[in-house]
Amino acid sequence: MAKEECITQCIKTGDTSTLRNRKTFPASEKTFQTPSPPVSKDKNCQTAGLKPEDDTQSSNGTSAQFLARGTLSSEPQSRALLMLVVGLSLSTRLYKLTEPPHVCWDETHFGKMGSYYINRTFFFDVHPPLGKMLIGLAGYMTGYDGTFPFIKPGDKYEHHNYWGMRGFCAVLGSFLPVFAYLIVLELSQSHTAALITATLLIFDTGCITISQYILLDPILMFFIMAAVLSMVKFNQQSYRPFSASWWLWLVLTGVNLAGALGVKFVGLFVILLVGLNTVWDLWRLLGDLSLSLVDIAKHFLARVVGLILLPLFLYVTVFAIHFVVLNKSGPGDGFFSSAFQSRLIGNNLHNASMPEYLAYGSTITVKNLRIAGGYLHSHWHLYPEGVGARQQQVTAYLHKDYNNLWLVHRQNNNESQSGTPDLVRHGDIIRLEHKETSRNLHSHLHEAPLTKKHFQVTGYGINGTGDANDLWQVEVCGGQKGDLVKVLRSKVRFLHRATGCVLYSSGKTLPKWGWEQVEVTCSPYLKETPSSQWNIEDHINPKLPNISLSVLKPHFLEILLESHIVMIRGNSGLKPKDNEMNSKPWHWPINYQGLRFSGVNETEYRVYLLGNPVLWWMNLASLGLYLIMVAVASVALQRGFPLSQRRIEHSHVLKRGGGLLLLGWLLHYAPFYSMGRVLYYHHYFPAMLFNSMLTGITLDILLKSADLLFRPPYSDWLQRAGQMVLLFTGLYSFYLFHPLSYGMTGPLAHEPGSAMAGLKWMDSWEF
C-alpha cells in the first residue's frame, strides 16, 4: 500500500519524476520525455519499493521512456506520414519554379552576388557570405556561367540558366515543414500535433513564395530549423551521454548554428535559444547528485566544444573560403581599407608601386579611415539653396572614381618646377585642388548639411585662386614636426587654418541632391577618431622613385575583423529611403501588408508575398489560447486538483515543449522592435515557424481535452471533427490564395473577373 499511496501523492502534487523513474509502463501509454524536476526527497516514496538501483536515468529522463518512444518513430504509420509531408512540401515548392522567367524582387541582389562568386569578383554585402556562396555554388553546379547582370527586377533571364539557384532555395525551403513536423513530434509525441504544424506550413502561401526565389531567407530558415531539431534530438539523448548518437546531435547542432549565423546575423537569435537551453541543461545536471564534479566538467567541456568552438571554427572557415574565392577587384573595394584592397587582383593597389612619401605637385586620392568612410570626392554639382553656401559639393564616395583625385600645392603655389619635388611634412600648410573642377578644398562657418554642429566643406575658387579658407595644416597622427607623410601607412588629419576645425567624414548619407554619398564636414571637436583620420592611397608623381607596396597586405585575422566592422556598420546604416515602404514589427503577425515580388498592372505576371491569412490569424489566436491553457494547467497542478497521468503529460508538453517554442518565437520577433534599421515583412518568417509549431501543439491538446466536456465516444467524435475542420481550413484557404504564390495575370483584385476577386480583405494588401 505504501507504494500505491506514494504514487497517488506524486500525481496530485504534480511531481511525476518518481513515476518516470519506474521501469514498468503500461503498454498502451506513450510517454513524453522532458527534463525531469529534481527527484522527490519524500522518504515514504523512497522506501516504497523504489530502490536507487531502479533509477537508470540521467537527470533528463529514463531509458524506458526512450524505448517506448523509439517504437513510435519506427512504426510504418510514422514513416508513411513523414513521406506524405515530404512529398507535399516538395511538390508545393517546386511547382511552377521557373515562373516568372525574369528577375523578381531581391533576386537582383543575391543572384548577382552568386554571379560574383562564380566570377571570383569581390563585392560588399551587409550579411555574412555563406548564403551567397551556396547560391553561387548551386548555380555553378547546374550550368549557370555567371554572366547574367541582374540589373533590376523584371529583366528577363532569356537563355541563362537560373533554375538551379531557384531550385536550390526551393529544396531547402521544402525542408521547413519536414523539420517542423519532426520537432513537434519530438516535443509532443503526437502525430496529430505534428501534422497540424506541417499543414500550417505546407499550405502557407508566404512560406511557399519566399522559398521559390533566389533569396537568403530559405537558406537561413533551413539552418535555424535544423539547429532546433538537432537541439531537441540532443536533449532526448540525455539518457545515454557521450554515446555516438549523443555526439552526433550535439555536433549537428553546432554545425547548423554556424550555418545560420553564416547566412545572416539574425542567426544570433537561434544561437541565443540554444544557449539558454544549454544553460538550463547544465544547471539541471549540476543538481543531479549521482554525477560527480568530473562528470559535470565533461558535460560542460563537451558543450563548449560542440556549441562554441566548432561553430566558431566553421564560421571563420566560411570567411576564409570567401576571401580565397573572391580575389579579384570589384564593386566592393571602396568599402574597405587600402591595405585590404592591396590583396585584390586588378585593384590599383595590388602589387602596386608608387612614391613612398607625399610630395608637393603630386596627384593623390585621400581615403577616410572610418570603415566605409569613403574617398574625399567632389563634382560639379552645387549645394542646394538653403544648405549652407551655394558652392560646389564635397562628399565622401565609396567607390573609385576620377572625381576622387586631388592635387597637392603649397599655400603660395610655389612648387619646384624642375628637379626633385619637396616632400610634405607634419605641420606643413597645404592647399588641395580638385583635379577635375580646379576648385580648392574649402571650409567656412556655415553649418554642415546634416551634422549641424559641424562646419560645411565645399569646393571654392578656380584654377588655383581662392582665399585663406582654402588652407589646411597637415598633421601626422602620433608624429612630430618635420615627420614625412608615408603613403598608405601614415594616419593624417587636415586642420583648417581659418576656423581650427578638422576634416571629417560623418558616415551620414546625403539626400538625393547629394547623390546619396557620404557627408564630409569640418568638425570643431579635435579628438582623434577614425572619422577625422585619413590616409593617402593613390600617389602619382613622375619625379619621384616608386617602391613596392606588397608589404602592406594584411593578415587573415585583420581582414576578418575589418569585414565584420564593415558589415555591422552597413547594417546599421540601412535606413528607409524617400518614399520607400518601411514595415513595422506590429504589422507582421496580423499579416497587415505583404511584399510585391513581381508585376504591378494587369498585363504583368504578378507575385505577391503574403502569408495565408486564415492560417496566420489562426497562429495569432493560438498565442493567446496557449497562454490561457498554460495558466489553467499551472493553477490546476498548483492547487493539487486530481489529474490523470494523461492530463499531467499534456501540461508538461504545454509548459516545456510549448514554452521552448514560445521562447523561440519571442527571440526571433521581439528584437526587431529595438532595431533602427529599415525593416521588411519577410523578417518575420523565422518567428512564424516557431508560431506555427506552437499552434500545432496548442490545438492538438485543445482537441484532446474534448473529454472534459463530453464522454466517449462523443469526445472522440468531436476531436476527429476538429481535426478535419483544421485540415479543410488549410486546404481551402490555400486554394483561395494560391495565385499569390504561383502568379496571376489579368484583372486586379478589386476588378471583376480577377482570380483574387473578393479576397482583398485588408486595404493594405496590394494585389
Side-chain angles (χ1 to χ4, degrees):
M1 284 299 293
K3 184 174 181 179
E4 284 76 3
E5 289 172 359
C6 175
I7 293 172
T8 303
Q9 175 188 351
C10 292
I11 290 177
K12 287 184 177 180
T13 59
D15 183 1
T16 60
S17 60
T18 306
L19 287 174
R20 289 197 300 273
N21 289 341
R22 300 177 65 219
K23 281 193 171 183
T24 57
F25 289 83
S28 61
E29 221 176 68
K30 293 185 177 71
T31 61
F32 166 64
Q33 196 282 334
T34 57
S36 62
V39 177
S40 171
K41 298 296 188 294
D42 188 292
K43 291 183 179 180
N44 292 329
C45 289
Q46 288 183 344
T47 60
L50 299 178
K51 299 178 181 179
E53 56 266 27
D54 288 338
D55 186 359
T56 60
Q57 72 166 12
S58 75
S59 66
N60 288 4
T62 69
S63 59
Q65 282 176 301
F66 286 90
L67 290 174
R69 298 175 66 249
T71 61
L72 178 67
S73 60
S74 63
E75 293 173 355
Q77 176 193 9
S78 179
R79 290 196 297 269
L81 290 175
L82 179 60
M83 294 309 298
L84 176 64
V85 170
V86 171
L88 287 173
S89 187
L90 281 170
S91 60
T92 52
R93 270 69 183 167
L94 297 178
Y95 177 64
K96 298 185 73 173
L97 182 67
T98 58
E99 297 293 329
H102 60 246
V103 178
C104 294
W105 195 50
D106 270 358
E107 284 188 326
T108 187
H109 299 303
F110 302 119
K112 182 186 299 182
M113 292 171 187
S115 299
Y116 285 145
Y117 278 105
I118 294 174
N119 297 316
R120 306 191 68 177
T121 303
F122 186 76
F123 66 94
F124 164 70
D125 186 44
V126 297
H127 305 300
L130 179 59
K132 284 95 64 179
M133 289 172 61
L134 293 175
I135 288 172
L137 179 62
Y140 178 77
M141 296 295 290
T142 54
Y144 172 59
D145 58 6
T147 58
F148 187 74
F150 287 97
I151 295 175
K152 66 183 184 301
D155 289 349
K156 293 190 178 300
Y157 285 113
E158 296 177 341
H159 64 280
H160 293 277
N161 187 348
Y162 63 96
W163 64 265
M165 293 182 284
R166 279 192 182 175
F168 170 73
C169 293
V171 169
L172 292 191
S174 300
F175 277 96
L176 302 181
V178 179
F179 286 163
Y181 174 89
L182 294 173
I183 291 168
V184 172
L185 187 60
E186 287 290 335
L187 292 177
S188 68
Q189 286 303 289
S190 168
H191 286 298
T192 304
L195 283 173
I196 291 173
T197 298
T199 300
L200 292 173
L201 294 178
I202 288 173
F203 299 116
D204 177 49
T205 51
C207 202
I208 292 172
T209 305
I210 208 166
S211 299
Q212 286 194 310
Y213 297 92
I214 307 171
L215 303 172
L216 297 185
D217 301 271
I219 308 174
L220 170 68
M221 292 189 288
F222 170 86
F223 283 116
I224 289 175
M225 294 294 282
V228 174
L229 176 61
S230 302
M231 176 188 72
V232 171
K233 288 282 192 180
F234 173 73
N235 288 342
Q236 308 293 15
Q237 296 296 319
S238 57
Y239 72 104
R240 46 187 300 188
F242 306 108
S243 63
S245 58
W246 187 91
W247 278 110
L248 172 65
W249 291 114
L250 177 65
V251 168
L252 285 178
T253 304
V255 169
N256 288 305
L257 291 180
L261 186 60
V263 176
K264 281 189 176 184
F265 284 129
V266 294
L268 286 168
F269 300 153
V270 75
I271 291 176
L272 183 56
L273 177 65
V274 173
L276 292 173
N277 177 80
T278 303
V279 169
W280 174 247
D281 189 32
L282 290 172
W283 180 253
R284 197 170 55 250
L285 288 172
L286 189 62
D288 187 349
L289 300 182
S290 67
L291 296 176
S292 67
L293 291 179
V294 174
D295 293 331
I296 294 173
K298 289 179 180 178
H299 276 278
F300 176 77
L301 290 176
R303 287 159 174 79
V304 168
V305 171
L307 301 179
I308 297 178
L309 297 182
L310 176 63
L312 184 61
F313 170 76
L314 294 175
Y315 180 74
V316 171
T317 301
V318 167
F319 275 89
I321 298 171
H322 169 73
F323 293 135
V324 169
V325 173
L326 301 185
N327 63 349
K328 298 179 181 178
S329 178
D333 294 14
F335 290 89
F336 293 83
S337 67
S338 305
F340 187 103
Q341 296 178 43
S342 68
R343 50 177 293 280
L344 298 173
I345 299 172
N347 189 282
N348 62 312
L349 298 177
H350 181 72
N351 293 333
S353 60
M354 62 182 65
E356 182 177 11
Y357 298 106
L358 180 63
Y360 292 103
S362 297
T363 301
I364 64 172
T365 59
V366 185
K367 192 174 193 305
N368 188 255
L369 295 187
R370 173 191 175 95
I371 300 298
Y375 295 92
L376 188 65
H377 176 96
S378 189
H379 40 236
W380 288 104
H381 303 279
L382 306 181
Y383 287 101
E385 291 286 349
V387 182
R390 189 166 169 77
Q391 297 176 5
Q392 185 169 296
Q393 295 176 18
V394 172
T395 65
Y397 189 46
L398 296 176
H399 305 281
K400 293 181 179 292
D401 186 83
Y402 186 78
N403 280 326
N404 299 340
L405 296 176
W406 299 81
L407 300 172
V408 183
H409 297 297
R410 290 184 181 275
Q411 59 176 322
N412 54 9
N413 292 335
N414 188 22
E415 282 107 28
S416 173
Q417 300 300 317
S418 61
T420 303
D422 294 333
L423 301 179
V424 178
R425 299 177 182 272
H426 177 101
D428 283 5
I429 298 173
I430 66 169
R431 180 173 55 81
L432 291 176
E433 179 186 333
H434 189 239
K435 185 171 183 179
E436 171 67 12
T437 63
S438 299
R439 309 277 188 189
N440 297 326
L441 185 69
H442 177 98
S443 187
H444 42 225
L445 295 179
H446 294 272
E447 66 180 19
L450 302 178
T451 311
K452 300 302 184 182
K453 293 184 179 181
H454 291 193
F455 301 134
Q456 183 186 34
V457 175
T458 68
Y460 180 75
I462 189 66
N463 294 328
T465 62
D467 59 22
N469 284 333
D470 302 338
L471 302 180
W472 303 81
Q473 183 173 348
V474 177
E475 179 185 279
V476 179
C477 297
Q480 300 177 350
K481 187 171 179 62
D483 286 352
L484 298 175
V485 179
K486 297 178 181 179
V487 172
L488 288 174
R489 287 172 285 180
S490 290
K491 296 179 181 179
V492 179
R493 300 207 306 166
F494 297 97
L495 299 175
H496 191 241
R497 291 289 292 170
T499 62
C501 58
V502 61
L503 192 66
Y504 188 94
S505 173
S506 71
K508 299 177 181 178
T509 302
L510 293 168
K512 289 185 177 180
W513 57 255
W515 303 95
E516 297 180 344
Q517 297 174 10
V518 178
E519 179 194 40
V520 169
T521 69
C522 198
S523 172
Y525 308 104
L526 302 184
K527 181 180 178 180
E528 288 188 5
T529 67
S531 294
S532 64
Q533 295 173 333
W534 307 75
N535 73 313
I536 310 303
E537 182 171 291
D538 297 289
H539 184 210
I540 303 169
N541 196 318
K543 297 181 180 180
L544 292 174
N546 294 333
I547 65 163
S548 174
L549 300 179
S550 59
V551 295
L552 297 177
K553 290 183 180 179
H555 300 296
F556 171 72
L557 291 180
E558 293 177 312
I559 61 178
L560 179 67
L561 177 61
E562 180 176 345
S563 64
H564 278 76
I565 295 174
V566 171
M567 286 188 295
I568 291 170
R569 290 185 176 173
N571 254 307
S572 62
L574 292 175
K575 306 297 183 184
K577 299 178 181 178
D578 294 342
N579 300 320
E580 183 180 25
M581 181 182 63
N582 182 29
S583 186
K584 299 289 192 298
W586 68 266
H587 291 173
W588 305 338
I590 64 174
N591 227 14
Y592 179 77
Q593 191 173 42
L595 274 171
R596 187 180 289 118
F597 265 42
S598 172
V600 177
N601 57 53
E602 60 184 30
T603 63
E604 297 176 321
Y605 192 93
R606 304 188 302 280
V607 177
Y608 191 70
L609 175 66
L610 185 74
N612 185 324
V614 176
L615 302 185
W616 278 50
W617 293 339
M618 187 186 301
N619 280 341
L620 185 61
S622 294
L623 285 172
L625 181 61
Y626 168 79
L627 296 176
I628 294 172
M629 291 171 63
V630 167
V632 171
S634 300
V635 169
L637 288 173
Q638 189 69 16
R639 294 297 300 170
F641 292 160
L643 299 176
S644 66
Q645 179 66 19
R646 185 186 179 201
R647 295 277 175 248
I648 294 174
E649 289 177 1
H650 286 173
S651 70
H652 287 319
V653 171
L654 277 175
K655 289 196 290 186
R656 293 173 182 170
L660 177 68
L661 298 176
L662 179 65
L663 178 61
W665 176 75
L666 286 171
L667 290 176
H668 286 81
Y669 175 52
F672 288 102
Y673 281 93
S674 63
M675 292 186 184
R677 58 154 289 173
V678 61
L679 299 174
Y680 299 103
Y681 171 65
H682 69 98
H683 289 148
Y684 183 66
F685 276 80
M688 183 274 296
L689 298 176
F690 288 92
N691 194 352
S692 297
M693 291 188 286
L694 181 60
T695 299
I697 288 178
T698 302
L699 295 183
D700 176 52
I701 293 179
L702 179 68
L703 292 174
K704 287 178 177 177
S705 300
D707 56 1
L708 293 174
L709 300 176
F710 302 98
R711 293 180 179 180
Y714 304 108
S715 61
D716 296 331
W717 296 347
L718 180 60
Q719 182 178 338
R720 298 297 177 216
Q723 293 167 358
M724 294 305 297
V725 168
L726 287 176
L727 178 61
F728 176 78
T729 300
L731 287 171
Y732 187 64
S733 61
F734 174 68
Y735 167 75
L736 291 177
F737 288 96
H738 78 275
L740 297 179
S741 296
Y742 298 129
M744 49 194 167
T745 56
L748 303 179
H750 62 276
E751 299 172 347
S754 170
M756 302 302 295
L759 295 176
K760 190 177 179 182
W761 298 341
M762 298 182 71
D763 291 336
S764 52
W765 295 349
E766 299 174 314
F767 56 79

